[in-house]
Amino acid sequence: MNKSLEMNGVVRIICLLVFLTVSGGAAAQTVFRSAGQENDSIRHGLVHKIGFEIRPGCVAPTNSFLEGDNERRKRIDRSLSVHLKYAFQFGEDSYLRRLYPHAYQGIGVSYSTFFASSELGDPVTVYAFQGSRLAALSSRLSLDYEWNFGASFGWQKYNSYSNPQNEVIGSEINAYINLGFMLNWQFHPQWNLTGGVDFTHYSNGNTHYPNGGLNPVGARVGVVHTFGTEPAVAASIRPLAIKPHVSYDLVIYGATRKKGFATEYETCLVPGSFGVLGLNFAPMYNFNKYFRAGVSVDAQYDESANIKEYKVYESNGGDMKFHRPPFSEQFAVGMSARAELVLPIFSINVGIGRNVICKGDDTTGFYQVLALKTSVTRNLFLHVGYQLSKFKDPNNLMLGFGYRFHNKR
């Protein structure tokens, strides 16, 4: 897949996600008002926040390139990033704020370095984020979490001539996934200080090879300014609940991917890119306002599945060629258990499943799913996911849309 296709795929999805985050405040209010929910007037409007963070870390040594098998002959084991973030909360009288009193969401931009600019670059990342409270430790101190998801730009990728030892980063644009846990201290009605731990993963979702990925782990320290006096009234918000019920999610997704494999005698990268198309149907029981779980029927067509069995060996050399595998070896149907964390605008879905209708080594066995669902309307959502195979092998992106039936939230 060339750079143009990468821009059209990953970057458009990320830009759409960020746009939905920025416009989500007004849109979500309109959605719930039109759905006939309780009074959704916003007495003070949206609550706005600006934050700044520093995140030093260590890079996990997952590859010989990071351990010193590189041009500089030095370990790449440090990282540092600085972040500027804008967040908002819904007004204290809004339906969503009464459902989720401590949730916030927004957009951020960061600059990162791994102190190896010539081989990895110093990427700039644009991302959406969301966080909330896990536990109140005192009237001014809480334990919070936050996730980030976005796209990072400006990597020095693998190049067989100028950067041949970089087996970690295979594309100039990579997905960015982050999870943090931190203590949040409100030392002033309009100021908060945060500090905690941080876990990050950079990957291109198997759209390019190599795709070893980069995994910094470290600390985070930040300061947040809230405009207005909203923190003083948070304790007075009257929480709402929802009635348990069953909803049904239908998701259609697609992506492109690269395909490579290793045998006892060779490592092979199959020329070209391959299409992936899938469908999920998941009845989900909504236990409460934060959590739903259920099962999903997952059907997927992968144009590259089991292609390693159809390599054409030519005695006179030349380009590598493959026959197209039969449809029965490219199509699989599985069942997965799903769990989902639900907050305003975003839901995070995780699943583990096994194919029950399949043929060939690539589709036989377990698969794992991690997906972010971003509300576009009350029932329509954007789906950005990633699938692993056999608990270890990167499989493919899952970029699409979904619709929720029988939604009583």
Side-chain angles (χ1 to χ4, degrees):
M1 184 171 62
N2 59 31
K3 183 176 179 180
S4 175
L5 288 176
E6 182 179 9
M7 290 289 291
N8 289 335
V10 177
V11 176
R12 284 185 179 181
I13 291 294
I14 300 301
C15 291
L16 180 57
L17 185 147
V18 172
F19 169 77
L20 289 170
T21 305
V22 176
S23 62
Q29 298 300 321
T30 303
V31 167
F32 281 95
R33 188 183 303 116
S34 66
Q37 301 287 0
E38 296 187 15
N39 173 34
D40 199 34
S41 63
I42 310 175
R43 185 188 304 170
H44 302 294
L46 296 177
V47 179
H48 304 280
K49 300 172 181 285
I50 292 291
F52 176 79
E53 288 180 350
I54 299 177
R55 303 183 189 178
C58 299
V59 177
T62 56
N63 189 280
S64 60
F65 171 76
L66 301 174
E67 294 178 330
D69 185 16
N70 51 55
E71 183 178 353
R72 300 182 307 131
R73 299 299 175 186
K74 293 182 179 180
R75 294 174 62 90
I76 301 175
D77 55 5
R78 296 178 297 151
S79 68
L80 178 67
S81 62
V82 292
H83 298 248
L84 181 63
K85 301 161 67 177
Y86 160 76
F88 67 87
Q89 290 178 289
F90 296 101
E92 63 170 299
D93 280 348
S94 68
Y95 174 76
L96 287 176
R97 185 65 183 278
R98 292 173 65 191
L99 268 181
Y100 308 100
H102 305 289
Y104 61 90
Q105 48 277 313
I107 58 173
V109 60
S110 71
Y111 169 82
S112 301
T113 182
F114 305 96
F115 305 97
S117 301
S118 61
E119 294 180 285
L120 283 178
D122 298 317
V124 173
T125 301
V126 180
Y127 58 91
F129 66 89
Q130 185 174 61
S132 190
R133 176 177 295 181
L134 290 172
L137 304 179
S138 72
S139 61
R140 292 183 176 271
L141 183 66
S142 64
L143 176 63
D144 296 0
Y145 78 91
E146 182 184 293
W147 58 259
N148 303 170
F149 176 76
S152 54
F153 306 81
W155 292 89
Q156 290 291 341
K157 65 178 183 178
Y158 166 85
N159 185 288
S160 58
Y161 298 102
S162 61
N163 200 6
Q165 294 166 297
N166 182 0
E167 299 178 357
V168 174
I169 298 298
S171 55
E172 296 177 358
I173 303 172
N174 288 274
Y176 162 79
I177 302 171
N178 172 275
L179 177 64
F181 298 94
M182 59 276 196
L183 294 174
N184 184 348
W185 175 40
Q186 183 188 337
F187 64 91
H188 181 276
Q190 294 177 308
W191 290 92
N192 290 64
L193 184 66
T194 64
V197 295
D198 206 53
F199 308 90
T200 302
H201 175 67
Y202 296 97
S203 171
N204 64 41
N206 237 22
T207 57
H208 279 67
Y209 270 11
N211 183 36
L214 203 64
N215 302 285
V217 179
R220 57 191 292 163
V221 178
V223 62
V224 179
H225 175 68
T226 301
F227 295 90
T229 58
E230 175 65 14
V233 302
S236 66
I237 295 175
R238 303 182 306 276
L240 294 177
I242 67 164
K243 293 182 179 180
H245 64 281
V246 178
S247 58
Y248 306 86
D249 284 7
L250 178 66
V251 174
I252 299 175
Y253 64 86
T256 60
R257 62 165 299 176
K258 289 285 189 177
K259 183 69 173 184
F261 59 88
T263 68
E264 184 179 354
Y265 306 102
E266 63 178 342
T267 299
C268 176
L269 175 62
V270 182
S273 296
F274 300 90
V276 177
L277 182 64
L279 182 146
N280 304 152
F281 179 71
M284 303 284 283
Y285 186 78
N286 294 255
F287 290 87
N288 52 48
K289 59 186 178 182
Y290 293 108
F291 182 70
R292 54 177 165 239
V295 296
S296 178
V297 178
D298 309 316
Q300 179 169 290
Y301 169 77
D302 181 354
E303 191 178 18
S304 70
N306 296 301
I307 197 169
K308 63 186 177 184
E309 307 297 336
Y310 293 87
K311 182 177 179 180
V312 177
Y313 292 91
E314 298 183 353
S315 59
N316 59 351
D319 294 337
M320 189 184 309
K321 295 182 180 180
F322 294 82
H323 291 303
R324 180 183 296 274
F327 179 81
S328 62
E329 296 187 26
Q330 297 175 311
F331 180 75
V333 179
M335 295 283 292
S336 61
R338 299 293 184 102
E340 194 163 307
L341 173 67
V342 184
L343 283 169
I345 304 177
F346 300 107
S347 298
I348 299 176
N349 183 281
V350 295
I352 178 172
R354 184 180 178 88
N355 286 320
V356 294
I357 301 175
C358 56
K359 186 178 180 181
D361 181 67
D362 283 354
T363 55
T364 299
F366 288 93
Y367 56 90
Q368 299 74 49
V369 173
L370 174 64
L372 176 66
K373 299 177 179 179
T374 305
S375 297
V376 179
T377 69
R378 181 167 179 261
N379 296 313
L380 182 68
F381 56 87
L382 176 70
H383 181 279
V384 181
Y386 191 61
Q387 185 182 108
L388 291 174
S389 175
K390 302 177 178 67
F391 297 96
K392 59 183 179 65
D393 299 325
N395 214 14
N396 56 268
L397 293 172
M398 306 166 69
L399 310 178
F401 287 90
Y403 191 87
R404 182 166 298 119
F405 299 90
H406 200 245
N407 182 14
K408 293 189 176 182
R409 288 180 177 269

